[in-house]
């Protein structure tokens, strides 16, 4: 069992939770994720490791479905059934020169840890965080603290630059030499934003979020096409060279369980607790 | 008419006490028992069968457990026909003694009547790390604990058992039985740390800090055919399909949160035990199932009894055919196949299948499951410096399970490639004995 040490809401539908998971906290690096199973009947869901402190790890997530909504009800002192990690290959961090770290929406969760490691490796770090409106911006202070420069964008212009992260990135690429870019956010945002760096031939990493089960390379659920080859995002990634990724196939596979997700959500809202279906044998 | 199958309760029901004793009486207690030679863990088969004949089930269990800590599992899933029973002297004349059914009877009897643990030696002060809690890891752990070593097993999933838990379905191997036998291994003093992916949650340096290391990481890497349409929604590796149902209980969705596409028409490709399991699970989820296999029905590598059960449960077999393309826009709509013919015998002694030009036809399908094999898990082993791997990723080991790195041993599917539960256990026992010897010589 893994104890919740702190849980707060950051914005509409976005929550942060600190959990005691020593084996994850001790070895986590930028770009890695963990898998949570909230309770005995729960699904295994991957979430990016957003920070660590002592024996605890922080994840930040958007409540979009059954599991994340359930997670959002957890409070300090509650326990989660399972946490495994850190999983995935850490970000390829070295001294590139000037790097840009971009977070879109809840994807901002991943950026402070990448920015921090990039800074420690000697890079000049520029952050760009973007959201639909100012109320959905998260981790502004943390990014402010760790980046050399920080840009903020909102789709509606309620704060910072009116527009998308890609607009700011484009401007930066025109003005100066950028050596490496990280983009984390929804698949469509990563697809669009990473296109901007193609003409400039700048190394660009994106963090892919396909559906996963084990997270250890055993099921093949997370397969993505990169450079025409099949890769398993959980072990070969989740970060890949953006210019090689087949985003359309990623987005299509993310929608595989749309109907089932709806059913799960409805079931969750109509049943306060699990009755157990009695057909599984054993303890369930 | 195929019988309807819906539930996941065990299919084969096992012997009654009376039948067990009658069967045991058929054994001739051979002086040089050939059956034992056929058993990869060398159970003293005539001795335990003798005790069954005497109705001393407790004594029978003790005999078995001297060599095998997972008898209720082995009694259910071992391919006895090609092992002990295949080697039984009576197999030549009439029917061999039903060793597997007897082993299962004894193990079930003991579980219901209170289990006794084998003796454990004085603590040696040595600490061994075991990676993976499949049959190889569990066997190595039990053996090493009995030799008096402190043993920590690391398992990346949230439940122990490896393929026994996530791969083999409930109706062939009830999970309550797997849990009970794992509890026995724990009762020997073995600590199992779940949710620990070695190489990530436990760094390699920390692993190599143990007095010895046993790698039982299995063959969990699913192979894909590499045909067009593999990324369509509804395409599964057998591993994913079976894991969703066995480990995550997707058959009970939405009571359990993990979904699985049940499909109306499911096509499974492959002919081994894994393919049979995937097909039989898909049947239970309510689909019409076609199993496509490229050779002839008599060439199916799966156990005969699994094939028979699959037939009885209504799985359609389409032999001498092979998928070449998965058709669909975003999700699977069909599987294009070609007919195959058997040509000259290949190196393995089996006729080589070649496709017949122009014979393409399309099967309607909404779920496609690939069960064409799996290879050793590359994750951890690729991180250990100096660890040599052979073709297809199998770890290079000597006859005692020593890898090319000092104090690191390996057995089971990680070393042999996908094999069987009992071969994993047999090789793990050998490696455990070698580890014990090395630790005691230090
Ligand atoms: C490596 C990785 C890191 C991630 N990090 C974060 C993060 O830091 N914060 C965050 O909010 N989200 C993150 N996600 C996405 C997160 O896993 C999903 O939002 C979550 O699984 C949704 O579960 P649900 O039951 O609440 O919603 P559902 O209703 O089940 O699904 C909502 C959406 O989530 C996706 N999803 C569903 N199940 C899975 C699954 N098992 N694995 C992956 N995606 C799934 C689907 O695309 C679906 O459209 C990450 C995903 C990956 C692969
Ligand atoms: C569907 C299916 C049906 C089968 N049916 C039969 C049958 O009827 N009879 C039979 O004899 N055989 C059968 N087999 C084969 C048999 O299950 C395997 O040969 C056997 O399980 C191999 O045992 P193992 O211990 O080597 O590996 P596994 O059982 O694969 O166990 C390996 C374990 O190691 C864990 N692991 C891997 N890497 C790490 C890591 N880095 N850190 C921590 N943990 C890790 C995995 O999560 C897993 O739990 C079947 C296999 C499958 C897939
Ligand atoms: S070979 Fe057959 S008859 Fe002989 S001891 Fe073994 S099981 Fe009994
Ligand atoms: S999640 Fe199973 S292989 Fe990646």
């Amino acid at each position: 069992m893994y104890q919740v040490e702190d849980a707060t809401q950051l914005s509409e539908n976005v929550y942060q939770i600190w959990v005691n998971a020593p084996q994850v906290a001790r070895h986590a690096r930028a770009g890695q994720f963990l898998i949570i199973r909230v309770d005995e009947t729960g699904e295994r869901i991957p979430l990016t490791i957003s920070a660590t402190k002592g024996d605890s790890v922080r994840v930040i997530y958007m409540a979009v479905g059954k599991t994340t909504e359930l997670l959002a009800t957890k409070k300090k002192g509650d326990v989660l059934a399972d946490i495994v990690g850190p999983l995935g290959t850490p970000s390829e961090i070295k001294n590139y020169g000037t790097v840009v770290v971009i977070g879109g929406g809840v994807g901002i969760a991943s950026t402070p840890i990448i920015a921090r490691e990039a800074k420690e490796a000697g890079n000049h770090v520029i952050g760009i965080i973007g959201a639909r409106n100012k109320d959905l911006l998260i981790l502004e202070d943390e990014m402010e603290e760790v980046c050399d420069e920080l840009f903020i964008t909102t789709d509606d212009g309620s704060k910072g630059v009116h527009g998308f992260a890609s607009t700011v990135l484009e401007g930066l690429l025109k003005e100066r030499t950028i050596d490496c870019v990280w983009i984390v956010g929804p698949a469509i945002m990563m697809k669009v934003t990473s296109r901007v760096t193609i003409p400039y031939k700048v190394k660009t990493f994106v963090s892919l979020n396909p559906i996963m089960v084990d997270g250890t390379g055993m099921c093949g659920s997370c397969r993505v096409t990169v450079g025409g080859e099949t890769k398993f995002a959980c072990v070969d990634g989740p970060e890949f060279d953006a210019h090689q990724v087949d985003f359309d196939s990623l987005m299509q596979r993310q929608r595989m369980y749309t109907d089932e997700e709806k059913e799960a959500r409805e079931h969750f809202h109509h049943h306060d607790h699990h009755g157990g279906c009695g057909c599984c044998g054993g303890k369930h | 008419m195929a019988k309807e199958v819906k539930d996941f309760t065990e299919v084969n029901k096992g012997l009654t006490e009376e039948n067990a004793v009658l069967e045991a009486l058929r054994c001739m207690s051979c002086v040089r028992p050939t059956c034992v030679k056929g058993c990869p863990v060398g159970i003293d088969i005539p001795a335990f069968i003798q005790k069954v004949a005497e109705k001393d089930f407790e004594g029978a269990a003790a005999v078995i457990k001297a060599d095998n800590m997972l008898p209720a599992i082995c009694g259910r899933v071992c391919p006895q026909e090609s092992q002990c029973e295949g080697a039984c002297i009576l197999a030549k004349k009439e029917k061999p003694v039903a060793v597997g059914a007897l082993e299962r009877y004894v193990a079930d009897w003991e579980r219901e009547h209170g289990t006794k643990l084998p003796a454990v030696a004085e603590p040696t002060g040595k600490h061994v790390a075991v990676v993976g809690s499949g049959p190889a890891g569990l066997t190595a752990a039990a053996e090493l604990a009995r030799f008096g070593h402190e043993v920590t097993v690391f398992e990346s999933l949230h439940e122990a058992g490896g393929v026994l838990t996530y791969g083999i379905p409930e109706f062939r191997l009830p999970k309550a039985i797997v849990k009970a036998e794992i509890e026995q291994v724990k009762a020997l003093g073995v600590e199992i740390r779940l949710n620990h992916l070695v190489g990530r949650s436990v760094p390699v340096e920390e692993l190599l800090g143990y007095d010895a290391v046993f790698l039982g990481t299995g063959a969990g890497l699913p192979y894909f055919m590499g045909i067009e349409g593999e990324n369509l929604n509804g395409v599964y590796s057998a591993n994913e399909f079976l894991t969703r149902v066995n480990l995550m209980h997707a058959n009970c969705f939405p009571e359990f949160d993990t979904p699985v596409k049940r499909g109306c028409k499911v096509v499974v490709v492959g002919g081994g035990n894994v393919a049979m399991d995937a097909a039989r699970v898909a049947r239970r989820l309510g689909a019409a199932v076609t199993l496509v296999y490229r050779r002839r029905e008599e060439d199916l590598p799966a156990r005969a009894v699994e094939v028979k059960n699959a037939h009885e449960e209504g799985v359609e077999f389409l032999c001498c055919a092979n998928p070449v393309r998965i058709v669909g826009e975003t999700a699977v709509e069909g599987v294009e196949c070609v007919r195959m013919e058997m040509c000259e015998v290949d190196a393995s002694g089996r006729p080589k299948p070649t496709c017949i030009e122009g014979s393409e036809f399309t099967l309607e399908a909404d779920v496609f499951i690939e069960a064409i094999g799996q290879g050793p898990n590359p994750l951890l082993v690729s991180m250990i410096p100096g660890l040599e791997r052979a073709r297809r990723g199998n770890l290079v080991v000597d006859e005692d399970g020593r890898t090319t790195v000092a104090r690191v041993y390996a057995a089971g599917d990680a070393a042999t490639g996908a094999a069987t539960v009992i071969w994993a256990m047999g090789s793990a026992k050998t490696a455990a004995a070698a580890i014990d010897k090395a630790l005691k010589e230090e």
Side-chain angles (χ1 to χ4, degrees):
Chain A
M1 292 291 198
Y2 296 79
Q3 187 144 18
V4 175
E5 292 182 338
D6 192 34
T8 44
Q9 185 163 3
L10 296 183
S11 76
E12 189 195 346
N13 288 336
V14 176
Y15 299 79
Q16 96 172 347
I17 190 167
W18 283 93
V19 190
N20 185 280
Q23 89 277 16
V24 187
R26 264 175 227 153
H27 307 296
R29 300 272 315 278
Q32 292 189 301
F33 64 96
L34 46 72
I35 283 187
I36 286 189
R37 206 170 62 115
V38 178
D39 60 25
E40 285 297 308
T41 55
E43 187 171 13
R44 297 169 64 96
I45 66 153
L47 295 171
T48 304
I49 298 166
S50 164
T52 61
K53 195 165 47 186
D55 280 349
S56 319
V57 290
R58 179 182 73 184
V59 289
I60 293 177
Y61 59 93
M62 192 184 309
V64 291
K66 161 74 205 274
T67 306
T68 44
E69 281 179 27
L70 179 64
L71 195 56
T73 65
K74 298 294 161 186
K75 296 188 180 53
K76 184 180 159 97
D78 288 349
V79 290
L80 306 177
D82 301 287
I83 292 181
V84 56
L87 301 174
T89 307
S91 306
E92 237 178 275
I93 294 201
K94 57 181 185 196
N95 192 346
Y96 293 95
T98 300
V99 305
V100 180
V101 182
I102 303 174
V106 71
I108 302 170
S110 315
T111 54
I113 189 167
I114 300 177
R116 179 165 289 118
E117 282 193 26
K119 182 83 198 144
E120 281 163 6
N123 294 285
H124 178 82
V125 181
I126 305 172
I128 308 176
I129 55 175
R132 273 188 285 121
N133 61 52
K134 70 173 189 331
D135 297 330
L136 300 176
L137 278 171
I138 55 168
L139 305 184
E140 210 183 306
D141 296 348
E142 276 182 51
M143 283 298 275
E144 187 70 60
E145 184 197 319
V146 44
C147 295
D148 294 297
E149 301 169 57
L150 180 66
F151 294 88
I152 289 169
T153 69
T154 48
D155 299 5
D156 67 353
S158 52
K159 186 162 189 186
V161 179
H162 187 167
F164 305 115
S166 52
T167 327
V168 175
L169 177 63
E170 185 117 48
L172 287 170
L173 287 161
K174 279 189 191 137
E175 282 165 19
R176 39 180 153 165
T177 314
I178 304 293
D179 301 290
C180 186
V181 176
W182 272 272
I183 308 169
V184 192
I188 184 70
M189 173 266 182
M190 293 192 285
K191 176 180 168 174
V192 173
T193 313
S194 64
R195 279 200 183 144
V196 173
T197 61
I198 297 176
Y200 299 89
K201 299 199 172 57
V202 177
K203 181 128 189 128
T204 305
F205 293 104
V206 283
S207 180
L208 304 188
N209 51 352
I211 293 176
M212 297 189 169
V213 182
D214 60 298
T216 68
M218 181 271 275
C219 74
S221 167
C222 65
R223 60 191 186 276
V224 288
T225 308
V226 182
E229 277 178 58
T230 294
K231 300 276 182 194
F232 290 179
C234 67
V235 290
D236 302 321
E239 284 186 5
F240 292 101
D241 176 348
H243 301 153
Q244 305 285 321
V245 170
D246 177 350
F247 284 101
D248 296 331
S249 131
L250 170 72
M251 289 186 269
Q252 171 212 306
R253 284 184 61 76
Q254 284 175 339
R255 288 190 293 269
M256 176 142 161
Y257 294 105
T258 312
D259 297 342
E260 289 82 356
E261 283 154 8
K262 193 162 158 270
E263 192 184 340
R265 220 149 38 232
E266 278 162 10
H267 186 82
F268 179 50
H269 291 298
H270 292 125
H271 300 66
D272 282 346
H273 51 81
H274 301 284
C277 54
C279 61
C280 292
K283 66 175 181 215
H284 293 302
Chain B
M1 249 283 283
K3 72 179 171 202
E4 249 203 82
V5 279
K6 283 226 169 67
D7 74 64
F8 279 78
T9 52
E10 200 171 10
V11 171
N12 297 336
K13 295 297 176 207
L15 300 172
T16 59
E17 176 175 329
E18 194 189 353
N19 286 341
V21 173
L22 282 175
E23 186 62 22
L25 288 167
R26 290 182 59 228
C27 172
M28 310 201 300
S29 294
C30 306
V31 187
R32 273 186 287 281
T34 45
C35 55
V36 180
K37 289 210 179 71
C39 174
V41 296
I43 296 174
D44 189 345
I45 293 168
F48 104 75
I49 294 185
Q50 184 60 44
K51 299 235 186 273
V52 175
E54 292 160 10
K55 292 195 181 178
D56 174 8
F57 304 121
E58 194 179 318
V63 173
I64 295 175
K65 285 213 314 229
D67 291 299
N68 183 347
M69 282 297 291
L70 311 172
I73 293 168
C74 290
R76 285 170 168 80
V77 302
C78 270
Q80 290 98 1
E81 63 281 4
S82 56
Q83 296 178 164
C84 51
E85 294 178 14
C88 170
I89 202 98
L90 294 178
K92 293 204 182 76
K93 288 186 250 157
E94 31 172 336
K95 269 186 9 195
V97 176
V99 181
L102 289 172
E103 180 183 29
R104 169 177 166 174
Y105 181 80
V106 169
D108 289 352
W109 184 93
E110 198 202 24
R111 205 176 50 258
E112 278 148 29
H113 291 77
T115 46
K116 287 218 168 59
L117 286 175
V120 172
E122 285 295 304
T124 60
K126 302 282 183 186
H127 198 169
V128 185
V130 170
V131 188
S133 65
L138 289 172
T139 303
E143 293 288 306
L144 290 163
R146 288 167 65 179
F147 291 136
H149 308 301
E150 195 179 337
V151 184
T152 305
V153 178
F154 295 102
E155 169 57 53
S156 59
L157 292 172
H158 59 264
E159 275 184 44
V163 173
L164 305 173
T165 299
Y166 77 72
I168 304 181
E170 176 82 15
F171 56 82
R172 281 216 289 133
L173 182 62
K175 300 309 151 210
I177 285 170
V178 177
K179 285 194 178 123
E181 295 209 318
I182 291 173
E183 282 308 314
Q184 290 221 49
V185 173
K186 290 209 297 215
L188 294 172
V190 170
E191 186 201 357
I192 302 185
R193 284 196 209 155
L194 302 173
N195 295 319
H196 279 70
L197 179 66
V198 180
R200 300 263 195 238
S201 319
V202 181
V204 167
E205 311 83 73
E206 198 177 314
L207 180 72
L208 298 179
Y210 284 79
D211 295 310
V213 174
F214 174 88
L215 301 176
T217 47
L221 175 77
Y223 293 144
F224 286 92
M225 300 186 82
I227 58 179
E228 195 187 320
E230 251 168 3
N231 282 343
L232 290 174
N233 294 346
V235 179
Y236 285 108
S237 72
N239 269 6
E240 180 184 355
F241 186 72
L242 291 169
T243 300
R244 283 181 179 270
V245 176
N246 294 327
L247 182 70
M248 305 308 297
H249 307 282
N251 53 312
C252 301
F253 180 86
E255 268 76 23
F256 281 70
D257 298 337
T258 307
V260 68
K261 290 269 172 224
R262 290 169 171 256
C264 292
K265 293 205 164 104
V266 174
V267 171
V268 179
V269 56
N273 287 323
V274 182
M276 294 308 143
D277 283 345
R280 296 174 68 195
V281 167
R283 273 297 286 149
R284 281 170 175 72
L285 296 180
V289 180
T290 308
L291 186 133
V292 180
Y293 177 56
R294 60 190 182 141
R295 297 172 199 264
R296 297 163 305 185
E297 173 135 9
E298 60 264 40
D299 301 321
L300 281 168
R303 289 181 70 192
V305 48
E306 305 307 332
V307 176
K308 180 173 159 280
N309 287 333
H311 267 297
E312 283 172 4
E313 292 167 8
V315 174
E316 294 279 344
F317 284 70
L318 181 60
C319 293
C320 295
N322 205 28
V324 289
R325 191 164 73 92
I326 310 159
V327 204
E329 285 284 320
T330 57
V332 179
E333 288 164 26
V335 181
E336 187 177 306
C337 302
V338 285
R339 304 239 171 243
M340 307 290 282
E341 63 186 345
M342 300 302 127
C343 295
E344 73 280 15
V345 170
D346 69 8
S348 67
R350 292 189 297 177
K352 199 173 154 218
T354 37
C355 54
I356 304 173
E357 296 251 346
S359 66
E360 288 81 3
F361 62 99
T362 304
L363 294 172
E364 231 184 273
D366 47 8
V367 167
F368 180 61
I369 304 171
E370 301 194 23
I372 58 160
Q374 60 259 345
N377 282 15
L379 179 73
L380 168 62
V381 298
S382 63
M383 290 175 170
I384 302 179
L387 195 65
E388 252 179 67
R389 286 181 287 163
R391 216 173 51 86
R392 309 212 88 177
N394 299 358
L395 286 170
V396 174
V397 292
D398 69 8
E399 66 279 4
D400 285 330
R402 272 182 212 92
T403 67
T404 51
V405 174
R407 296 178 298 106
V408 177
Y409 296 71
D413 283 4
T416 57
T420 60
V421 170
I422 198 72
W423 278 109
M425 294 175 64
S427 57
K429 263 181 88 166
T430 308
I435 292 173
D436 178 58
K437 190 155 168 274
L439 290 178
K440 283 179 178 153
E441 275 167 6
E442 263 174 21

